Amino acid sequence: MTVSIAYLGPPGTYSEAAAIAYVDQLQQDTGEECLLCPYPSISQTLRAVARSQAQRAVVPVENSLEGSVPMTLDAIWQLDNLQIQRALVLPISHALISPVPELSAIKTVYSHPQALAQCQGWLEQFLPWVQLIPTNSTTEAVQQLEGDRFAAAISSQRAAELYDLPIIAFPINDRPDNCTRFWVVSLQPSPGGAYTSLGFSVPSNLPGALSQPLQVFASRGINLSRIESRPTKRSLGEYLFFLDLECDSRKSSVESAFQELRSHTETLKIFGSYDFVAIKSD
């Protein structure tokens, strides 16, 4: 049986690199054959799994420099039944790719908003005059170079190889320890692990509306490794809260915490328990 794995494409993105690393691990563990399926956006990548068009998806969720990826959080909240199977941590090294031989001739730089932000300091130092244009992915940025003879793209070394374009600066990310966390998601129940991710909304914006849910974990000694808010998109001032916990949801103490948490929340979604896998850079 072939396992179809959706990712943010086109080929050459960092999501593809994470998906390839996941496939390598999967084949070592199970021997399963895999088919990589690129999609043009994170939302469409996750919807492919929700609609059973693909069996699993690999999507970015957090960068060490720029924080969370809002589109991933929004989509996993909106789509029911998606469960996290594993977290992958991928080192990220950006390259400036362009057929233009000199930096002084570059007028435009294309890339994904996260990549532009991760290279902001370098761009301000070496290309302060250029126009920055966001794209859906770092590989889509490379594709833009075909019609713009004074442009450059921030993307991966693999994308430069795939499109046979020169790298004129590498690495250009502002910090050498830049890395991105990806989630592997599917419709299968989560396998369990050292970390659990969830999201919830609160019944009303009143004093204690957030502290009460958080106290559920504090009283049981469950540590939170991440918490952040996203707008509900219903009205101004209403928020969803996303949490990462250092615990396994299969433990009885955690199950009882979730039962109590439901009494303090309007909607609670448990996205699953999983383990982290660090991907070595080439």
Side-chain angles (χ1 to χ4, degrees):
M1 177 181 174
T2 300
V3 179
S4 54
I5 300 174
Y7 70 92
L8 174 63
T13 62
Y14 297 103
S15 292
E16 186 204 36
I20 290 172
Y22 173 65
V23 167
D24 290 343
Q25 295 170 357
L26 199 62
Q27 291 178 335
Q28 290 176 10
D29 295 342
T30 67
E32 291 179 298
E33 292 295 322
C34 299
L35 175 65
L36 292 179
C37 306
Y39 284 82
S41 71
I42 291 172
S43 177
Q44 290 180 61
T45 301
L46 289 170
R47 288 183 187 280
V49 176
R51 296 170 177 170
S52 298
Q53 297 168 349
Q55 291 161 288
R56 296 170 199 174
V58 177
V59 291
V61 64
E62 183 181 21
N63 177 261
S64 59
L65 301 186
E66 289 303 309
S68 295
V69 180
M71 188 176 293
T72 297
L73 297 180
D74 291 346
I76 201 168
W77 174 266
Q78 293 165 3
L79 301 171
D80 291 330
N81 303 322
L82 292 180
Q83 289 283 286
I84 303 167
Q85 306 296 310
R86 189 176 300 184
L88 309 170
V89 180
L90 177 73
I92 304 293
S93 295
H94 293 300
L96 188 71
I97 301 167
S98 179
V100 181
E102 297 182 0
L103 290 178
S104 59
I106 296 173
K107 297 180 180 180
T108 305
V109 174
Y110 296 92
S111 197
H112 187 275
Q114 283 265 341
L116 292 172
Q118 292 161 28
C119 302
Q120 182 178 354
W122 190 95
L123 291 167
E124 289 177 353
Q125 180 178 356
F126 294 101
L127 294 171
W129 62 86
V130 300
Q131 181 183 11
L132 305 179
I133 300 181
T135 57
N136 286 326
S137 70
T138 52
T139 302
E140 183 182 298
V142 175
Q143 294 174 335
Q144 296 294 325
L145 302 185
E146 183 177 353
D148 192 338
R149 52 193 291 257
F150 297 106
I154 296 175
S155 192
S156 66
Q157 290 178 296
R158 173 170 162 77
E161 294 170 1
L162 289 173
Y163 287 86
D164 193 26
L165 288 167
I167 294 174
I168 58 177
F170 177 85
I172 66 168
N173 31 284
D174 293 335
R175 292 185 58 88
D177 55 351
N178 186 25
C179 61
T180 295
R181 176 162 60 112
F182 293 81
W183 279 339
V184 179
V185 302
S186 77
L187 293 176
Q188 299 172 351
S190 69
Y195 295 87
T196 297
S197 292
L198 58 86
F200 63 80
S201 60
V202 293
S204 58
N205 186 15
L206 297 173
L210 180 57
S211 65
Q212 289 176 346
L214 297 184
Q215 185 61 32
V216 169
F217 302 113
S219 64
R220 291 171 171 81
I222 298 173
N223 189 48
L224 274 65
S225 58
R226 180 177 68 100
I227 178 172
E228 66 181 274
S229 62
R230 291 287 301 150
T232 63
K233 306 185 189 303
R234 295 183 304 195
S235 66
L236 186 66
E238 288 190 4
Y239 294 94
L240 310 170
F241 298 93
F242 293 87
L243 278 64
D244 288 349
L245 313 174
E246 295 180 358
C247 65
D248 191 329
S249 62
R250 297 175 298 178
K251 292 184 177 181
S252 58
S253 60
V254 181
E255 290 178 350
S256 68
F258 291 162
Q259 288 296 328
E260 182 180 348
L261 183 62
R262 285 186 170 87
S263 66
H264 299 299
T265 59
E266 178 187 43
T267 302
L268 172 64
K269 296 188 178 184
I270 312 298
F271 303 127
S273 297
Y274 53 90
D275 286 321
F276 274 69
V277 177
I279 302 171
K280 295 182 180 179
S281 56
D282 295 333

